Amino acid sequence: GIIVGLTSVDGESTSSAGAGGYGVLAAIIVYGIGLVTSLLMVGEEGKKLGLGSRLWAIMGWHGPDRLRKMINCTDNPSWKPLDWKSELETLYKPHLVSMSFGFLLKYFIPTILWVLFFTTFKKNVNDGYGGYPWSYQTVGMLIFAFMAVLVLFVAIFPRSMIDPRESGDATVMGQIKWTFSPSQAKSDKNHEDSGVYGTDDVVILNHSSQL
């Protein structure tokens, strides 16, 4: 949505407000399609959960909540996220981390950073970085493109960040095949069972992460 909005500003026919409207509309449509698709791809175990639990497993901020639990349990060992008594406690104890931390970390801050990034990116594309000709900016563009390719590579093949010896295959070709295979492996299950996600979250996230 941010990309659509900023790239539609041409300085003449489209105002900044209009471009922002296009961006918000595009973001809502893309987010809605992704959410519905994730719900439809839920496995049999996930379908046993209520709609609220499924939505939270997909849209919730599980990582920040685990971090909040680590921090807040130093004051109250029985503190746990999404418990109304525990969450109420964060409202009057300033040294505890409240639920807003997860929302800001997952949704608000990335959105602001994307706006700043693409605003600067569009300006540099139109005017050139520092006013230098494009022939002098080729190296910088190649470095950025290489970084983008690496990010996409890890997103498509997340096992590339795991030690291939955990595949259980002693051969080099077997380990390479495991790294670039989309199938579920026993070592992946071991990572999930290590407490990184809750039981209900794993059921949903295993399927939605394939999108």
Side-chain angles (χ1 to χ4, degrees), residues 81-177:
L82 304 182
D83 177 74
W84 73 271
K85 289 184 179 180
S86 297
E87 296 295 355
L88 182 63
E89 193 176 5
T90 64
L91 299 180
Y92 61 85
K93 289 187 176 181
H95 59 281
L96 297 183
V97 183
S98 67
M99 183 182 289
S100 61
F101 172 76
F103 173 80
L104 294 174
L105 199 62
K106 182 170 183 177
Y107 291 105
F108 184 77
I109 294 176
T111 301
I112 298 300
L113 293 178
W114 275 99
V115 170
L116 294 175
F117 172 77
F118 279 104
T119 300
T120 304
F121 181 79
K122 180 176 176 60
K123 181 178 182 300
N124 290 337
V125 169
N126 291 338
D127 304 331
Y129 176 75
Y132 295 104
W134 283 104
S135 58
Y136 292 102
Q137 303 188 41
T138 303
V139 175
M141 293 174 61
L142 291 176
I143 293 175
F144 175 80
F146 179 70
M147 177 190 69
V149 170
L150 289 180
V151 172
L152 290 175
F153 178 84
V154 173
I156 297 172
F157 303 108
R159 288 180 179 175
S160 61
M161 301 298 292
I162 303 176
D163 189 341
R165 291 176 294 182
E166 296 189 19
S167 64
D169 196 322
T171 64
V172 175
M173 290 305 300
Q175 294 177 359
I176 293 176
K177 183 179 179 180

Side-chain angles (χ1 to χ4, degrees), residues 68-69 73 76-87:
R68 289 201 305 139
K69 184 176 182 179
C73 280
N76 179 8
S78 62
W79 191 97
K80 57 183 179 179
L82 304 182
D83 177 74
W84 73 271
K85 289 184 179 180
S86 297
E87 296 295 355

Side-chain angles (χ1 to χ4, degrees), residues 10 40 74 102 131 147:
D10 55 15
L40 293 176
T74 58
M147 177 190 69

